Amino acid sequence: MSKPLSDHDRKKQISVRGLAGVENVADLKKNFNRHLHFTLVKDRNVSTKRDYYFALAHTVRDHLVGRWIRTQQSYYEKDPKLGLDMEELQEMEEDAGLGNGGLGRLAACFLDSMASLGLAAYGYGIRYEFGIFNQKISNGWQVEEADDWLRYGNPWEKARPEYMRPVHFYGRTEHHPDGVKWVDTQVVLALPYDTPVPGYRNNIVNTMRLWSAKAPCEFNLKDFNVGGYIQAVLDRNLAENISRVLYPNDNFFEGKELRLKQEYFVVAATLQDIIRRFKASKFGSRDIVRTDFSSLPDKVAIQLNDTHPALAIPELMRVLVDEEKLPWEKAWDICNKTCAYTNHTVLPEALERWPIDLFQTLLPRHLEIIYEINRRHMERVSSLYPGDVDRMRRMSLIEEGGQKRVNMAHLCIVGSHAVNGVARIHSDILKATVFKDFYEMDPHKFQNKTNGITPRRWLVMCNPGLAEVIAERIGEDFIRDLDQLKKLRNFVNDEAFIRDIAKVKQENKLKFAVHLEEHYKVKINPNSMFDVQVKRIHEYKRQLLNCLHIITFYNRIKKQPNKQWTPRTIMIGGKAAPGYHTAKMIIRLITAIGEVVNNDPVVGDRLKVIFLENYRVTLAEKAIPASDLSEQISTAGTEASGTGNMKFMLNGALTIGTMDGANVEMAEEAGDGNLFIFGMRVEDVDAMDAKGYNASEYYNRIPELKQAIDQIAGGFFSPKQPDLFKDIVNMLMHHDRFKVFADYEDYIKCQEKVSALYMKPKEWTKKVIHNIAGSGKFSSDRTISQYAREIWGVEPTLEKLAAPDDPK
C-alpha cells in the first residue's frame, strides 16, 4: 500500500502542475540564488532560515512585479528541487494582523477576487506598526503582547515615498467670498507602502496600498528658536502614533481621538491618491491634467467597508467644493454617485457616533460640511413627511440629547448611492429595523451582497488534499468557478469518493493532532469528533452556550461512565478585546473547564477541551481543514454574515448553528437536512423581547442547566477561587441580552443528533459531500461579481494578460 502524500508533497504537485504560475524553474533558481547572495550580511557567510525565507519571498515578488507593472499599464512556485523545506520557510512569515475579526479578512478575500476577476482595484488601509495583539494564555487568563510583525522587515511591500501626501488636522476655518479655507492646521505625512495582490493564473497583479504616518521635517520647528530641539524631535512621535497600533475592538465602538485621527488619516490620503490618478488619467480626456470632475463616478467607485471610512463623504465634498471650486449641488451629485456603503453589524454598541466637540477640535471644516449635508437632508425629509418631527429626529445625522454626536451610519446612507448588508437575513433586518426610515424614503438604494471567501486560500492552499480529490473528479476549473462544486452531487453515493473525502479529513486531523500535542501537551484522540468554535470572543457569539454543552456532556459521562459515548475534542479559540471584561472571563471559564475535564481519569479521551491560543489566519489554515463540526451559534439576528462558517463548509465540516447570518443561505444551498439547525429564529427572538426574557424560568425548569450553572457558581471549576465566575453567572441569570438559556435545551438535543450521526461515518461523509457541493455560492468571486455589476457598474473578466516576457 503506497504511503499517503503529505500536504507538502501535494502542494509540490500542484505547483508543478502550474497553479503557482512559475514557467521557468531554472530562472527561478537563478533568481533565488541571486537574492540569497544579496541577503547575506558581508561579515557572515552562514545562511539562516530567515535568509532563505527572504530570498524566496523576494524571488516570488520579482515574479509578480513584472505582471504588476503590466497590469497597471493595461488598465489606468516554487522549484521542488531547491532542497529547502518550503513549509518551514512559510512558517517564518508573520501574519499581517491588520484588522479585527472577519472584517479585515473579508477585505483580503475581496482583493484576491478583484484581481482574479480582472477588476482594476486598489485596497486601501493603514500600515499599523503593531497589528492585533498576540494572545498568550497564562494561568488560564488572556495576556496581550504587542504584535511586532515588522521587526524583521516585510519583503512583500514596497515603500512609495514619491506618492507621499500631507494630511491636515485641527486648525480653524476662514470664510471668504471665493470660498472656505482650512488654516493653521497640523500636518502629518502619509507614506504609502504597496503590496502586490496577484489574480489567479491571469497575470494580473493589483495593489494594496497601506499608509504609514510620518512627521514632516519642519514638525515643531518653531521650538528650535527656544532651544527645544530634542523635544521637537521627540514630538514627531505624536504625529507618527497615528499608524502605530490597531484598536483591537470587534463590534464595539471606542470614541477616542486617536481612532478618529486614524479614520481621517486613511481617508484623506486615499482620496488625494484617487484624485491624483483621476487627474493624471488620459482616458477620455485631452487635457494634460483632467479638470472636469463630472466623469469621476464613471471612472472611480469608492466602497466604504463599514463606517470606519465614512469621513470619505465630507472629505470628498471638501476637496470638490473648497479646493476644486465646484458648486455644492454638482459636488454632491458626484460624491453620491461615487460612494457606496456596506454595513457589517446591527449591534447598537458597534455603531459609530462621534462627539461633536471632538469633531469641532480635530476636523472643524468637516463638521461644517456635515451640518450642511444634514440641513439639506432634513429639508428633504421634511418635504416628504411634513410635520413628522419624530421621523426627522430619528433620521438626522446629528443625534441630540446629552452630548451631541454625529451618527456615521446615517452619514454613509445619505452620502451613498447604494447601501448593502452582507447576508440576505442581515440586509432584511437593516430594512426592517435599524435603517427602516431610510429604506422607506429611498428603497432603491438598499441591496444585499452575501459575503464570500476566496477558494484559492481557503481550499487550494490550506487543504491541498481535498482540492486534489475534488480535481480528480471534476477537474480544476472549480478554483476559478466554485459553482462547479455542484457536480460533486453526482458522487454522493460513490463509495470511492466517500472513502477519499473521509481519508483526507482523517489525514488533516492526524496532522493537527500532532500540532496540538506539541503546543498544548494534551494527548488527542484523532478518532474523536473535532468540534470547533473559532472567532472573536463576544457575548453575542455565545461561546457560553458551547461551555454549557461541554459541562452537560461531562456530567453525563460522569453519571454513566460505562455508556458508549461519542468521543469529542472540543476546541474554542479567539481573542477578547483587552477592555472587554466579560469576554476575558469567558476565556478564563473555558480554560477552567478544560483543567477539570482534561484531568479527570473517568472521562479519559472521550472528552477533551482545548482553548486554541492566539487564533489567527495561520492557525485557521490548520484548524479548519481538520474540523468535523463547526459551531455557528450566535443569537438569531446578531451575526451579520460570518465567513468562518463558509470556510468550514468548504473544507468538509458540518455546521451546528442557528438561523443567523449566512447560515440561512448555507442551509438552502446544502439542503436543510445537511446542517444541524437549532434554536430561536429572528421572529422568536423578537417575540421574546416583546414579552421579556426570564432566565430563571429555564434555570428552574431544566435540571441539567441548573446543575451546570450551580457548578460554575459554586466553584466546581475554580476550587481555589469559588466566586471567580460570579460575574458570568450574574450576567447569564439577570442581564443576558443574547438569551443563552432560551436556546440551551434545543442546542443539547441537536448535539445529541450530531453525536449519533458521527457514529455512522458513511452517512456523516455523505452530508459532508452535500455541504462541499453546496458551497459554490460562498466564493468571494461571486460576491465581487455582484458588487461590480450591481454597485460599481463594471464587468468582471476572465481575460488573461500577457506575461511580461510575452510579446504585447
Side-chain angles (χ1 to χ4, degrees):
M1 190 172 149
S2 61
K3 185 181 164 195
L5 285 175
S6 69
D7 279 0
H8 174 50
D9 289 334
R10 284 199 184 93
K11 285 180 181 175
K12 202 180 276 189
Q13 279 191 354
I14 288 169
S15 176
V16 169
R17 282 207 315 270
L19 289 186
V22 175
E23 293 86 0
N24 190 322
V25 167
D27 283 353
L28 184 70
K29 283 179 76 169
K30 193 169 154 190
N31 201 357
F32 176 86
N33 287 324
R34 182 175 63 83
H35 276 298
L36 187 60
H37 173 76
F38 287 114
T39 300
L40 296 176
V41 180
K42 285 189 177 69
D43 59 355
R44 195 186 82 210
N45 5 353
V46 183
S47 303
T48 67
K49 276 185 191 168
R50 192 166 301 281
D51 294 326
Y52 287 131
Y53 161 61
F54 266 72
L56 178 68
H58 283 120
T59 303
V60 177
R61 189 179 72 176
D62 287 353
H63 181 70
L64 293 176
V65 162
R67 287 157 176 74
W68 199 3
I69 292 166
R70 174 65 65 89
T71 301
Q72 298 300 314
Q73 289 170 340
S74 76
Y75 54 55
Y76 9 65
E77 195 170 76
K78 63 194 182 194
D79 178 2
K81 300 185 184 68
L82 280 175
L84 299 169
D85 188 321
M86 302 302 288
E87 284 197 359
E88 268 192 58
L89 294 190
Q90 285 172 350
E91 292 292 323
M92 301 298 294
E93 184 170 15
E94 300 275 354
D95 284 54
L98 304 186
N100 277 292
L103 193 67
R105 184 53 243 171
L106 178 74
C109 287
F110 282 180
L111 291 179
D112 175 288
S113 287
M114 287 188 286
S116 296
L117 292 168
L119 297 169
Y122 277 68
Y124 284 100
I126 294 176
R127 181 181 177 268
Y128 294 106
E129 193 177 326
F130 297 94
I132 187 74
F133 60 88
N134 285 318
Q135 179 195 58
K136 293 276 184 282
I137 300 298
S138 176
N139 299 318
W141 295 95
Q142 169 176 296
V143 176
E144 300 87 28
E145 291 184 354
D147 167 37
D148 192 7
W149 71 288
L150 290 170
R151 66 188 172 282
Y152 297 115
N154 174 13
W156 303 108
E157 68 184 8
K158 178 166 174 48
R160 304 300 297 271
E162 66 273 29
Y163 294 130
M164 192 142 62
R165 290 288 172 263
V167 176
H168 298 258
F169 295 100
Y170 304 109
R172 58 191 174 82
T173 58
E174 288 180 352
H175 291 253
H176 300 278
D178 62 336
V180 182
K181 288 188 171 59
W182 183 16
V183 298
D184 297 340
T185 58
Q186 286 186 17
V187 176
V188 176
L189 298 177
L191 171 64
Y193 285 79
D194 287 359
T195 299
V197 180
Y200 175 65
R201 297 180 82 168
N202 63 358
N203 292 326
I204 286 174
V205 179
N206 280 347
T207 303
M208 177 174 71
R209 178 161 287 177
L210 303 180
W211 301 100
S212 181
K214 298 287 169 204
C217 290
E218 68 277 9
F219 191 81
N220 273 355
L221 206 61
K222 62 182 187 306
D223 289 357
F224 293 175
N225 299 332
V226 289
Y229 163 72
I230 296 292
Q231 193 56 48
V233 173
L234 295 180
D235 281 353
R236 295 171 63 87
N237 279 336
L238 298 175
E240 294 173 3
N241 277 343
I242 290 173
S243 58
R244 193 82 67 206
V245 63
L246 169 77
Y247 276 86
N249 301 314
D250 188 61
N251 275 295
F252 183 81
F253 167 60
E254 188 167 5
K256 297 282 171 64
E257 180 177 358
L258 178 57
R259 179 65 185 142
L260 186 58
K261 272 187 176 174
Q262 289 179 341
E263 292 187 353
Y264 180 62
F265 174 75
V266 68
V267 154
T270 297
L271 277 173
Q272 288 181 70
D273 202 48
I274 289 170
I275 287 166
R276 172 189 60 77
R277 283 188 286 115
F278 172 76
K279 283 183 168 183
S281 164
K282 302 294 184 294
F283 301 117
S285 173
R286 293 183 180 181
D287 301 334
I288 295 169
V289 173
R290 191 195 296 269
T291 53
D292 179 6
F293 280 84
S294 55
S295 65
L296 184 72
D298 301 324
K299 303 291 179 190
V300 173
I302 296 172
Q303 192 70 37
L304 306 175
N305 195 28
D306 220 334
T307 55
H308 312 128
L311 287 166
I313 292 165
E315 173 66 2
L316 183 53
M317 288 300 290
R318 186 190 69 79
V319 170
L320 294 176
V321 173
D322 294 358
E323 295 182 4
E324 302 296 338
K325 306 301 181 188
L326 269 65
W328 181 279
E329 291 75 8
K330 180 69 180 164
W332 183 249
D333 183 58
I334 291 168
C335 179
N336 201 260
K337 286 175 176 168
T338 303
C339 295
Y341 162 53
T342 301
N343 172 276
H344 289 274
T345 182
V346 297
L347 296 181
E349 65 268 35
L351 297 175
E352 292 192 301
R353 299 172 164 95
W354 286 102
I356 290 288
D357 297 348
L358 186 52
F359 250 104
Q360 182 66 62
T361 305
L362 191 68
L363 301 167
R365 178 56 182 145
H366 297 77
L367 183 59
E368 291 177 352
I369 290 169
I370 288 168
Y371 274 139
E372 180 60 15
I373 293 170
N374 195 45
R375 185 186 70 76
R376 291 165 181 257
H377 165 57
M378 288 285 94
E379 276 183 3
R380 181 167 176 246
V381 175
S382 175
S383 68
L384 289 170
Y385 307 96
D388 194 342
V389 178
D390 201 47
R391 184 183 291 261
M392 289 180 71
R393 179 190 54 76
R394 292 195 308 265
M395 295 184 74
S396 177
L397 309 190
I398 311 297
E399 295 184 349
E400 305 285 347
Q403 191 181 27
K404 277 186 167 185
R405 292 174 178 271
V406 181
N407 184 312
M408 303 305 272
H410 290 185
L411 174 62
C412 286
I413 296 169
V414 172
S416 297
H417 70 278
V419 176
N420 71 281
V422 289
R424 192 177 64 228
I425 188 174
H426 171 229
S427 296
D428 288 344
I429 287 169
L430 292 180
K431 293 189 290 190
T433 59
V434 197
F435 302 144
K436 181 173 186 278
D437 293 321
F438 292 92
Y439 173 64
E440 285 176 359
M441 189 166 83
D442 290 310
H444 63 277
K445 277 191 181 185
F446 286 78
Q447 304 188 13
N448 174 56
K449 298 286 169 280
T450 299
N451 281 342
I453 55 168
T454 165
R456 271 75 63 182
R457 177 172 295 274
W458 293 111
L459 177 55
V460 178
M461 291 304 296
C462 76
N463 201 344
L466 181 57
E468 188 75 29
V469 165
I470 293 169
E472 282 169 6
R473 274 24 181 235
I474 65 170
E476 286 182 9
D477 287 351
F478 72 90
I479 299 170
R480 66 158 81 250
D481 177 14
L482 205 61
D483 267 335
Q484 295 203 19
L485 291 179
K486 284 180 179 146
K487 294 176 183 174
L488 294 178
R489 287 175 185 149
N490 298 327
F491 298 92
V492 168
N493 297 307
D494 182 308
E495 297 288 336
F497 188 58
I498 292 169
R499 269 198 314 275
D500 286 350
I501 290 287
K503 185 179 169 206
V504 166
K505 179 63 71 178
Q506 197 55 31
E507 286 172 2
N508 289 335
K509 288 175 71 174
L510 284 164
K511 188 176 174 186
F512 194 50
V514 169
H515 173 85
L516 290 173
E517 284 172 35
E518 279 174 12
H519 288 80
Y520 298 93
K521 311 298 180 237
V522 176
K523 184 77 178 157
I524 302 295
N525 173 5
N527 295 315
S528 65
M529 181 199 308
F530 282 17
D531 171 348
V532 182
Q533 185 181 23
V534 282
K535 50 187 74 247
R536 287 300 287 264
I537 309 295
H538 199 294
E539 287 163 83
Y540 89 85
K541 293 178 185 286
R542 297 202 297 191
Q543 284 90 356
L544 286 173
L545 185 57
N546 197 342
C547 287
L548 291 177
H549 170 249
I550 298 170
I551 296 169
T552 302
F553 186 36
Y554 170 75
N555 289 335
R556 287 181 178 182
I557 296 172
K558 293 286 281 183
K559 196 173 176 183
Q560 295 180 277
N562 299 320
K563 187 177 166 182
Q564 275 290 99
W565 297 102
T566 303
R568 289 196 191 215
T569 301
I570 300 178
M571 304 173 222
I572 304 176
K575 295 175 181 178
Y580 188 176
H581 170 71
T582 303
K584 294 184 106 169
M585 288 308 304
I586 290 168
I587 291 175
R588 185 63 191 96
L589 177 61
I590 297 162
T591 58
I593 294 168
E595 286 159 19
V596 171
V597 170
N598 298 345
N599 293 299
D600 192 324
V602 174
V603 173
D605 66 358
R606 292 179 290 187
L607 177 61
K608 293 291 181 197
V609 179
I610 295 176
F611 186 84
L612 294 173
E613 185 179 72
N614 202 31
Y615 180 65
R616 60 205 186 281
V617 169
T618 44
L619 185 53
E621 289 171 337
K622 295 180 176 74
I624 291 172
S627 299
D628 294 305
L629 186 69
S630 160
E631 301 267 353
Q632 307 296 334
I633 58 179
S634 52
T635 314
T638 60
E639 186 72 87
S641 166
T643 46
N645 47 2
M646 302 168 185
K647 292 165 192 170
F648 282 103
M649 182 188 194
L650 182 60
N651 281 275
L654 299 187
T655 299
I656 182 166
T658 51
M659 276 298 200
D660 196 24
N663 296 356
V664 177
E665 291 159 80
M666 285 164 50
E668 268 178 23
E669 296 296 311
D672 276 10
N674 295 312
L675 279 75
F676 299 98
I677 299 294
F678 73 94
M680 296 180 288
R681 292 355 189 212
V682 169
E683 316 81 75
D684 304 319
V685 175
D686 291 343
M688 187 169 283
D689 281 333
K691 80 174 176 78
Y693 164 65
N694 181 1
S696 300
E697 182 190 312
Y698 299 93
Y699 170 81
N700 292 321
R701 182 170 60 75
I702 308 167
E704 285 186 308
L705 173 60
K706 182 178 190 302
Q707 181 187 7
I709 293 299
D710 290 350
Q711 285 171 310
I712 297 169
F716 181 84
F717 298 105
S718 54
K720 291 179 183 169
Q721 286 178 271
D723 64 348
L724 180 60
F725 300 116
K726 67 176 190 304
D727 287 353
I728 281 186
V729 172
N730 181 53
M731 183 277 289
L732 285 171
M733 293 296 296
H734 304 293
H735 312 286
D736 181 11
R737 294 162 54 200
F738 303 106
K739 307 173 179 63
V740 169
F741 291 3
D743 275 342
Y744 168 83
E745 205 165 19
D746 203 19
Y747 180 54
I748 299 296
K749 283 179 186 161
C750 198
Q751 289 282 22
E752 290 166 7
K753 290 179 194 164
V754 172
S755 291
L757 187 71
Y758 191 74
M759 299 308 274
K760 301 171 185 170
K762 188 188 285 188
E763 296 307 308
W764 179 279
T765 306
K766 284 183 177 184
K767 285 191 188 292
V768 165
I769 294 167
H770 275 293
N771 273 268
I772 297 169
S775 58
K777 175 178 180 175
F778 305 105
S779 168
S780 49
D781 296 347
R782 187 268 314 151
T783 311
I784 286 299
S785 294
Q786 290 182 339
Y787 273 100
R789 293 183 177 119
E790 297 163 26
I791 296 180
W792 306 330
V794 289
E795 189 59 32
T797 174
L798 295 179
E799 245 179 73
K800 185 175 177 179
L801 278 189
D805 44 359
D806 290 351
K808 284 192 183 181

